[in-house]
Structure formats: C-alpha cells, structure tokens
Amino acid sequence: MGLLYRTWFEFTGWAAALVLWLFILQGQVIWWQPAALWAVFVVLWFLTTRLGGDPGALPLAAVLVFCGWVFLTRLDPALAEGHSYGILLGGAAFCFGLLVPWTRLSLGRLWAWAALALLATTAVLGESAGGAKAWLNLWGLRFQPVELARIFLVFYLGDEIHRGGNKWEPLLYLTSFCLILAWQRDLGPAVLVFLVFCWMWLQLSFSWGKLLGLTAAVLVGFYSAFRLFPHVESRVLAWLKPWHYLDSKGYQVLQGLFALRAGGVVGQGLGEGLVHVIPQGHTDYLFAIIGEEFGFLGISALLLCYLGLAFWAVRIVDRLEGRERLIGLGLTLLLHVQVFLVVGGILRLFPFTGLTLPLVSFGSTSLVAQLWMLGIIARLGCRGGEE
Amino acid sequence: MRKSFLVLALIYGMMLAGAAYWQLYSDLDESPANPRYYLMFRQERGPIFDGCGRTLAFSAAEDGVYVRCYAAPSLSHVVGYFHERYGITGLERLYQEELSQGRSLFTTLDLELQKRAEELLQGVNGAVVALRPATGEVLALVSSPWVDGSALDENWPDYLADVRSPFLNRATQGLYPPGSTVKPIVYWAAAALGRVDDETSWSDPGVLNLPGGMISNAGGRAHGQISIAEALAYSSNVVFAELAVDLEEQLLKCFRLFGLGQQIDFELGNLEGFVPAGIASPYHAAQLGIGQGELLVTPLQMAQAAAALANGGILMRPYLVKELRGGLRLRQITRPQVVQELLPKSAANTVRKAMALAAREGTAQTHLSGSLDYAGKTGTAQTGRSAADHAWFIGFAPVDAPQVAVAVVIEHGGAGAAAAAPVGAEIMLKALQMSE
C-alpha cells in the first residue's frame, strides 16, 4: 500500500513539474504557486508519517487540489493566485487538525452553539454573493462561516448521537441550523448537513423503520422547500425541464451537460473547451469543465481519487470506537456527500444544490475547511484506536 | 463501517455511470441551445470530391472563420448544404460526423456531367439522373430548380417564396406518371415470359376498344402490321395495351422487379412511388401498360430501370458515396451491389435492340441520332389536368456496351420526343466524352 501511495505521489510530482514548465514557457503563471502546492503536501506527508499516521490521503488530495489549481489557472490566472494562498492556508489547517486533539474536546452543546452563532452572525452582518448571504468580513478577512460551522455541528452531532440522551435535542439544533441557512438562501449546506446527520444516525443502529422515516422526512422537507422558496422551485424546474427553460433557469444545467457531452471519452484537451459559457464555471460547475477538457477518463480518475479518500478515511474510522467513530464518519461523509450533491446535480440525477466540488473548486474557506477535516481524520489515524 | 464504505462506493459508481451516459451516449451535440453547434459551422471540415477528384464542396477561410462553398449550385440537392442558420442537408448531413473530423468524401458524381445537366435544365422544372449501368454509380443527379448552397444568405427569402419549390429534390422525391417509358419494361416482361419473340407481328388499327374504355395511339395514328420492336420504336399504345391485358398480374410483378413502387436503398432516400396491388379490369391493365392509370415513379427509379436494361437485366443499387478517406480510421470503400438479376438475359438484350431502333428511326430520334450510338424511349405522361404533359426520356449509350444510362423528366414539357429526348441525348454525349 505504501508503495502505491508513493507512486501516486511521484506521479503527481512529475505531472506538476511538466505542467509548471509548460505554463512558465507561456509566461502565464508565477512559478511559486505550484511549487508551494507541492511543498505543502510534501511537508504534510512527512509530518503525518512522523506522527505514526496514515498519509495515504495526501497524494490523493494533492491530485485533486492540483487539478483544481490547473483548471483555475486555465480559466483565469488571477483566480489561481488567490486559490494558491488558500492552498497554503489549507496546509496550515491540515496541521492544525493533525496536531490538536479536536475529537477529545468534548464540548457537547458548545459546538452547536458555536455553529449557530457563526451562522447567525453571518445572517445579520454577512455580505451577499451569488444569491446567498453567506460571506463574513472580519477585519479584511472574507470567508464563508458555514464551511466551518458544519464541522462544528458534526462534532456536536457525533457527541450527542453517541451519548443517546434526549433524541429531540440534536434534531432541534439541526433544524435551527437549516432554518438559518434557508433564511440566508444558502440551502446547499443545509441539505448536506441533514443528509450527513441521517447517515450518522443510521450508522449508530440501523433499522428499516428509521430509514423509511428519514426518507419520508427528506421528501417532506424537499417538498416544503420547493413550495416555500422560489429559488428552490427554480432549481427543481431546471432539473425537471431544462429544455423548457433553456434560456433562464435551465441554462446552467444544460450548458453543463453540453460541456460534458463535448468531452466524450478523452476530452477536448486542456484549454480547448468552450468554458466561458457556463455560469459559475470556477466554483459550482468546475466539474463540467473538467469533463469537457479531460473527458470521461479524466472524470473517472477524479472520482477514483475521491473513492480513494473515502477508503483511506473508512479504514481509519473503522478502528475507532464510540464518539470518535461517529465524528470520524461524520467528517468523512461531509466531504463525500458534498461530492455526490455537486456531481449528481451536474449530472441531472437530482436538482443542483449549489455547492462546490471539495478540494477542487475555487474558494479558500472551503479548501481550508476540507483540509482541516482531513487533518482531523489523519489525527484519528495516528492514535490507531488506543482509546 | 464497511457497509458505509460500500454505500459510498456504490454511489460513486452511480456517478460514474451518470457521467458515462452524458459523455458517451447522450445526443446533445446538435442541440440548437448548444453554442458548440454554431461554432461547428465556422470550423474547417473535410472536402467532398467527385469521382475524378474534382472538388465539389470545400471550406473557404473568410476573416478567420470557415464558410462552406460548392462547385455548382445544383449540388445542393445531392451534396447538400451546410449553413449555421439554415442547417445541414444531403451528404453533408449524412456524413456530418466524418466530415467534421476532417475526413474527405469521394462521391461517384462527375462534376462536368452534373454541370452540363444543370445547363440543360436551366429554366425548366425537371430532373436528370445519370447512372453507370454496370455498377450503379450516380454520375449526375440534377433537380431543377435548385438552391445555391454557396449563396443561401443572399437568396433565402426568394427560395422560400419560390412557387416552383427549389428545395424539392425532384429526382428522388418527385412522383410522376411514367407514360410510355414503361413500355420497355412491358416488352421485357412479355419477352421474359415467352409471350412474344422477334417474329411476332401485330396489327395496329390505331385504336383498341376494351370494356370500360378505349386506348388509342398518339394522334390516333394506325401503324398497320408491325413487329413488336417497331411497336416500341414508334410507341404504339395499342400493341402495348394488348400485351398488358395479356400479361395481367405478371405485369405488376415485373414493374416491381424493376424497382417501380419499391423502396430503393439510396443514400438520399427515395419515394416508393405507386404500383397498384392488383388489376381490376382489362382496361385497367391496358392503361398501366402504357404508363398511365395510377402508376407513379421517381426519375431515379426510371434511371435504375434503364440501367438494368442496359446491363443485361442486372439491377444495380444506385449509390453516391464511393469512398471515405483520411483521419485515423481506414479507408471505407463502397462496393457495387446487385439488387436483382432479371433473367433471362436475352430478354434485356431484345429490349435493348428495340430501344436502339427507337433512337435510330423511332420516336426517340434526336439531332444526335446520326452521331451518337444510343438507345432510348420517350414518354409523354398525361397529367390528368389541362396543363401540358410531362416529357420523359430514358436511354443509355453506347448500345452494345453501355457506359451511361439516363432518365430525364421535364414537367409540363409537352411531348417527350421534343422536350426530354434531346436533353437525354446531350447528357449521354457528354458522359461518353468524359469517359474517353
């Protein structure tokens, strides 16, 4: 297994060097960006190994982050520069997750209050962008609190579900969390957190009755959101009948599908796609752009990297017991359910929820949060279930 | 936890399947909402050539974008056109994928012959189809009027307003009563079934009375005692009506054997036309025997039938695309295909001689009869209205080893001998000159 990881890592290194060289030849890129990206993951690799952890996630995450960086450079080098700072910060966040025993901090409800406080602050003081009031500006540092808040909430949920105290209390916090997000018109994270909660709850003890009840709850929630929020309605209509709304609601969905189709098996090639017709191509719809330029093979490789990350995380979490097991699972799911929501939305399997592709899409807060989560899981792996 | 991982893996598998569906199976390339579809029209694509390597269609660079140009306006009915606003037709549409990949298409057409036919049909409504009898290659296919694929922008409103329907491909989609051009087939049927031989002689009083109606020769002329070959050469309605009455249902079977009322497997498609399912009365049979009644054919069908008579009764599938070249894939070559062998061979040869007689001294004589060795048959199809008749001609040349077979129809052209035969003869002349 170690050899496999090492091969991956070396492969990405060579690929990075090659692409870097090509870009420098064209004079399009500042050399430090890929170098810093590379250095970050090498340092993290050694650090994790030193602490006795399983560094397997790092080459996979490096491939994904690198892929995102390449595409952002291809779309707009200025975006890639901002993203590169995010990558550096993400490296720090991974260390932060790795070195601090987060899962031992049994703060209970405090986590939930922290999450709600973050959201409430955003709802009151936040700034709007792209239809959702999801940004907070703290002394010049602009970020999306929901990315952190949902991790806090998973800490709380893991704690609470494991303790098995009052059944309704986690539901109450979860509902308030979702309602604030709904008020901010940012429903993607609400759906994500709700699904993760359901999965964690089912993981604790599975029964068909529970599954049925949760499915019903999802459907009822879906239907009421559809009736209550016009922007949910438009997303649903764009999913059901994109051809009917091809100039308005359905435009993004259709352009994404056209881009995927144009990719075919091997793709149009980097820089050859018609990328600027897709709205939100650098965040929500980056997947479609990768599909157009790298084709089905590129998409498969990308999804396999995610699957590898899931395998790595599940292997670690499987050795844990009790609360940490649930929290570890929750963090893992937070990443992968988000991938499902994004990719499934772009592939028209269900309505698009407006989340970004984890580790790949533009967005420093999201990158920092994702790498922090990976760091926490890596930390869980270091102790190897000694508790 | 293992189950959780299995569920995750399963969902990733579903995502992969979804991506495979959209990327590999879905059909979104030609959606009008897809901006790539319009870009496609500005990109270079593979050229289309005629059988001798002359360019029929090519992409010309204009201000950094490519525009499709055509060597002759009448090619729009065959090669088609390719325009970002008006779409893709003809072979351009049929071979869209290959051409957009830069592969080149070699057709069976002969550009010079096509241009000659275009010149001859200028100003009239009609169609010309020229085939190589031995293989079924289409040498020329002109339907007049046409739209000019290189100048659609300028003329589109005129084309739409034109009552002569320039978009209609009369060669494959035009249905006409065949008139006397079916007589060679009737003759073939009678010869093949042994009902007549060279010595059979008929008396033609000019009029044939049958229960239900009367068949008369053109102008009511009585030919007296004539051989069957002469009856074909002088286009005796009475003799062929009698033959048809005698043949009964066999007549319809023979029409079908020659491809009339049948689907032709042709690249551009072809209307089936109409051959009735059965014969109602002797008068009905008589009418069918002279190409009237409810018979309807396309010029391509008549050309195919003429080619079969020229080719000793071997009916070849007409085809337009000879070869695809270029790109990563191997060359794809179309092979000639036999549709039907109409036996005995001697029947076709008998008819061929009679048609040569018609061209030498019968109704199919033209200004070229002295110089060009050809065989032919004219037709004057009544349209059932007060408008002038449709003029028909089918023929082939040279008589002994035919290189080209043609069918010509000129709508409301009047007598076939006057309007269509000279056109057919000119085309055969040009085709023989080109093949030298």
Side-chain angles (χ1 to χ4, degrees):
Chain A
M1 208 46 114
L3 185 69
L4 191 69
Y5 290 151
R6 214 170 286 264
T7 318
W8 256 115
F9 216 21
E10 282 177 8
F11 169 74
T12 52
W14 283 111
L18 182 69
V19 176
L20 171 66
W21 181 59
L22 289 174
F23 274 105
I24 288 174
L25 277 187
Q26 291 190 0
Q28 280 192 356
V29 83
I30 307 168
W31 64 271
W32 67 262
Q33 292 179 17
L37 189 164
W38 185 238
V40 163
F41 282 95
V42 170
V43 168
L44 295 180
W45 167 281
F46 282 114
L47 195 63
T48 314
T49 319
R50 197 63 191 262
L51 291 173
D54 181 354
L58 289 163
L60 298 169
V63 171
L64 292 168
V65 170
F66 183 70
C67 176
W69 176 81
V70 165
F71 271 88
L72 290 174
T73 309
R74 176 250 177 281
L75 286 173
D76 180 0
L79 281 181
E81 195 179 351
H83 196 65
S84 297
Y85 292 114
I87 294 170
L88 290 177
L89 219 61
F94 187 92
C95 294
F96 197 47
L98 189 66
L99 299 174
V100 180
W102 292 98
T103 49
R104 291 213 180 154
L105 288 175
S106 184
L107 298 180
R109 259 169 228 140
L110 278 177
W111 283 124
W113 289 344
L116 289 177
L118 263 177
L119 282 193
T121 322
T122 321
V124 179
L125 301 173
E127 297 171 0
S128 290
K133 198 176 183 185
W135 296 87
L136 203 58
N137 200 334
L138 280 187
W139 307 287
L141 189 69
R142 203 160 165 276
F143 69 106
Q144 279 186 299
V146 66
E147 301 277 351
L148 300 174
R150 59 194 187 204
I151 299 178
F152 295 171
L153 198 72
V154 164
F155 283 150
Y156 162 74
L157 289 174
D159 210 13
E160 197 61 37
I161 295 174
H162 171 65
R163 231 163 8 109
N166 186 345
K167 259 188 192 171
W168 299 106
E169 200 183 298
L171 266 181
L172 182 75
Y173 283 112
L174 189 71
T175 314
S176 348
F177 189 85
C178 292
L179 282 179
I180 300 176
L181 283 172
W183 185 37
Q184 287 171 261
R185 290 165 49 87
D186 194 9
L187 278 165
V191 176
L192 172 63
V193 170
F194 185 73
L195 290 177
V196 169
F197 162 77
C198 294
W199 197 320
M200 285 164 76
W201 202 37
L202 284 172
Q203 174 70 32
L204 190 70
S205 65
F206 181 84
S207 83
W208 288 103
K210 251 187 190 177
L211 183 63
L212 218 66
L214 288 173
T215 314
V218 168
L219 291 179
V220 169
F222 177 70
Y223 184 73
S224 41
F226 172 72
R227 299 307 296 263
L228 282 173
F229 304 106
H231 63 287
V232 176
E233 191 190 1
S234 78
R235 287 275 162 111
V236 173
L237 290 177
W239 166 60
L240 286 175
K241 312 190 229 176
W243 297 101
H244 197 262
Y245 303 102
L246 53 88
D247 291 328
S248 52
K249 303 176 179 91
Y251 182 79
Q252 191 184 29
V253 175
L254 280 182
Q255 295 302 328
L257 295 178
F258 292 153
L260 285 173
R261 173 61 195 163
V265 181
V266 291
Q268 299 278 336
L270 191 60
E272 299 294 323
L274 191 68
V275 297
H276 292 288
V277 299
I278 307 179
Q280 304 298 324
H282 61 297
T283 53
D284 301 7
Y285 260 69
L286 193 58
F287 180 79
I289 288 179
I290 297 174
E292 176 170 14
E293 300 201 339
F294 280 0
F296 179 65
L297 290 180
I299 293 290
S300 310
L302 200 75
L303 292 178
L304 278 177
C305 285
Y306 282 118
L307 188 65
L309 277 181
F311 181 70
W312 167 81
V314 168
R315 224 163 59 125
I316 288 173
V317 173
D318 203 23
R319 287 194 293 246
L320 301 171
E321 288 300 329
R323 197 180 77 245
E324 293 193 326
R325 189 180 167 89
L326 270 182
I327 292 176
L329 176 72
L331 295 177
T332 308
L333 292 178
L334 218 44
L335 191 141
H336 295 286
V337 174
Q338 183 167 347
V339 177
F340 300 152
L341 287 176
V342 176
V343 175
I346 289 172
L347 294 176
R348 238 187 111 199
L349 298 177
F350 36 76
F352 190 65
T353 38
L355 288 160
T356 61
L357 196 60
L359 299 171
V360 177
S361 287
F362 178 72
S364 300
T365 326
S366 148
L367 194 59
V368 166
Q370 306 292 355
L371 285 170
W372 184 38
M373 278 179 359
L374 289 182
I376 297 169
I377 297 172
R379 165 86 190 189
L380 293 173
C382 289
R383 286 178 296 154
E386 63 203 41
E387 258 183 306
Chain B
M1 206 50 73
R2 297 239 159 87
K3 277 184 188 153
S4 275
F5 177 72
L6 284 181
V7 174
L8 283 173
L10 194 72
I11 302 178
Y12 274 118
M14 273 164 52
M15 299 289 146
L16 214 56
Y21 170 75
W22 290 114
Q23 300 202 272
L24 312 178
Y25 294 108
S26 68
D27 182 20
L28 297 170
D29 293 329
E30 287 193 25
S31 156
N34 190 344
R36 288 163 195 80
Y37 179 64
Y38 295 97
L39 283 180
M40 173 184 84
F41 288 99
R42 299 170 185 205
Q43 283 158 2
E44 191 175 8
R45 79 203 244 112
I48 301 177
F49 298 108
D50 79 350
C52 311
R54 285 177 290 236
T55 311
L56 300 179
F58 61 101
S59 295
E62 255 178 41
D63 307 327
V65 299
Y66 286 93
V67 176
R68 200 67 165 164
C69 296
Y70 299 93
S74 69
L75 287 170
S76 67
H77 284 305
V78 199
V79 170
Y81 53 78
F82 178 81
H83 192 282
E84 82 176 72
R85 208 169 312 148
Y86 310 119
I88 319 175
T89 63
L91 295 180
E92 294 268 32
R93 169 155 216 96
L94 209 58
Y95 289 88
Q96 157 60 15
E97 201 184 324
E98 288 84 353
L99 290 168
S100 69
Q101 289 164 356
R103 304 189 75 188
S104 33
L105 194 62
F106 285 76
T107 62
T108 58
L109 292 173
D110 181 326
L111 179 61
E112 293 303 317
L113 190 64
Q114 177 86 8
K115 280 184 173 166
R116 180 75 181 123
E118 187 181 310
E119 208 176 289
L120 291 162
L121 285 185
Q122 191 85 44
V124 299
N125 295 1
V128 164
V129 179
L131 303 175
R132 192 182 301 286
T135 57
E137 289 167 280
V138 177
L139 300 174
L141 191 150
V142 177
S143 166
S144 176
W146 48 76
V147 301
D148 183 354
S150 313
L152 291 175
D153 275 324
E154 299 89 319
N155 304 319
W156 192 260
D158 296 341
Y159 291 147
L160 288 185
D162 196 334
V163 291
R164 300 172 303 157
S165 310
F167 293 102
L168 174 67
N169 188 344
R170 288 166 161 80
T172 58
Q173 312 294 310
L175 292 177
Y176 305 94
S180 300
T181 51
V182 292
K183 283 176 186 166
I185 302 177
V186 180
Y187 186 7
W188 181 91
L193 294 167
R195 307 283 172 94
V196 292
D197 56 45
D198 291 350
E199 271 99 68
T200 318
S201 117
W202 302 70
S203 100
D204 174 1
V207 177
L208 177 67
N209 277 305
L210 288 165
M214 185 187 84
I215 300 289
S216 61
N217 286 342
R221 227 178 101 197
H223 296 294
Q225 202 70 18
I226 51 171
S227 74
I228 178 100
E230 285 166 333
L232 184 87
Y234 298 106
S235 202
S236 159
N237 285 346
V238 169
V239 171
F240 280 91
E242 275 184 47
L243 268 181
V245 172
D246 184 38
L247 285 165
E248 290 177 319
E249 304 283 336
Q250 293 292 336
L251 178 70
L252 303 179
K253 199 182 151 204
C254 288
F255 283 164
R256 293 208 181 85
L257 281 179
F258 274 86
L260 309 190
Q262 300 289 104
Q263 201 62 256
I264 295 181
D265 174 22
F266 184 55
E267 285 101 325
L268 300 177
N270 184 71
L271 287 185
E272 241 175 66
F274 188 78
V275 171
I279 287 176
S281 66
Y283 178 62
H284 186 206
Q287 277 193 312
L288 295 175
I290 58 167
Q292 295 292 150
E294 62 268 68
L295 271 189
L296 285 174
V297 298
T298 67
L300 180 67
Q301 283 172 328
M302 289 317 291
Q304 192 191 26
L309 290 171
N311 197 30
I314 301 170
L315 189 75
M316 303 301 292
R317 182 183 82 91
Y319 69 99
L320 264 173
V321 176
K322 205 190 246 176
E323 205 179 323
L324 264 169
R325 269 190 223 170
L328 294 172
R329 281 187 293 165
L330 291 172
R331 287 160 63 163
Q332 282 166 272
I333 302 173
T334 316
R335 308 226 167 270
Q337 198 183 324
V338 178
V339 180
Q340 197 109 46
E341 283 193 48
L342 307 168
L343 297 171
K345 225 175 165 179
S346 58
N349 290 339
T350 310
V351 178
R352 193 173 59 172
K353 280 181 207 133
M355 285 172 74
L357 183 67
R360 253 192 336 269
E361 48 195 63
T363 52
Q365 279 182 79
T366 62
H367 59 292
L368 291 174
S369 286
S371 52
L372 181 70
D373 172 33
Y374 73 95
K377 181 74 197 82
T378 54
T380 307
Q382 287 160 19
T383 55
R385 282 176 284 159
S386 52
D389 301 337
H390 295 320
W392 269 103
F393 175 82
I394 60 170
F396 45 85
V399 175
D400 288 326
Q403 299 285 312
V404 57
V406 295
V408 179
V409 67
I410 291 176
E411 285 179 16
H412 310 300
V423 173
E426 287 285 354
I427 287 166
M428 290 189 288
L429 178 67
K430 182 75 181 175
L432 295 185
Q433 284 169 355
M434 295 309 299
S435 66
E436 268 163 18

